[in-house]
């Protein structure tokens, strides 16, 4: 769930794949993603909720038992927040 500041224009969101590190012997993969947000020139008036899901199945393959995902988001305060998630595809 994202809390975006908007008034009445459409916003676009995309996930950018920054890096993938795979350790076949350990059966792990690290995926670093960034959230892209185009506010369409909207006024930052009201806080609204937006829901986004990350398709992680594409990172799972035979021999990969654990995927650690780091998702970086630029906040309205100008700082970058990074969240860590674990995905076990089994």
């Amino acid at each position: 769930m994202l809390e975006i500041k908007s008034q009445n224009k459409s916003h676009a969101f995309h996930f950018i794949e920054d890096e993938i590190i795979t350790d076949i012997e350990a059966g792990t993969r690290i995926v670093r993603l960034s959230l892209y947000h185009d506010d369409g020139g909207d006024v930052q008036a009201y806080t609204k909720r937006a829901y986004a899901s990350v398709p992680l199945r594409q990172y799972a393959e035979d021999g990969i038992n654990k995927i650690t995902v780091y998702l970086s988001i630029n906040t309205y305060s100008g700082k970058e927040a990074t969240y860590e998630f674990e995905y076990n595809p089994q």
Side-chain angles (χ1 to χ4, degrees), residues 16-21 30-34 68-71:
I16 299 168
E17 197 175 81
D18 296 316
E19 181 179 39
I20 299 173
I21 301 169
I30 295 172
V31 178
R32 295 185 188 279
L33 302 172
S34 296
T68 304
V69 179
Y70 295 94
L71 176 61

Side-chain angles (χ1 to χ4, degrees), residues 2 17 23-24 34 40 46 52 63-65 67 70 77 83:
L2 305 168
E17 197 175 81
D23 185 339
I24 296 293
S34 296
Y46 308 103
I64 301 296
N65 302 313
I67 300 168
Y70 295 94
S77 66
Y83 301 92

Side-chain angles (χ1 to χ4, degrees), residues 35-81:
L35 178 69
Y36 170 80
H37 174 208
D38 179 356
D39 67 5
D42 201 4
V43 176
Q44 295 181 11
Y46 308 103
T47 300
K48 296 183 180 180
R49 289 184 182 165
Y51 295 90
S53 62
V54 181
L56 297 177
R57 191 71 189 142
Q58 65 188 346
Y59 302 111
E61 57 186 49
D62 289 339
I64 301 296
N65 302 313
K66 182 176 90 169
I67 300 168
T68 304
V69 179
Y70 295 94
L71 176 61
S72 296
I73 298 172
N74 290 317
T75 66
Y76 286 105
S77 66
K79 296 180 181 178
E80 183 179 274

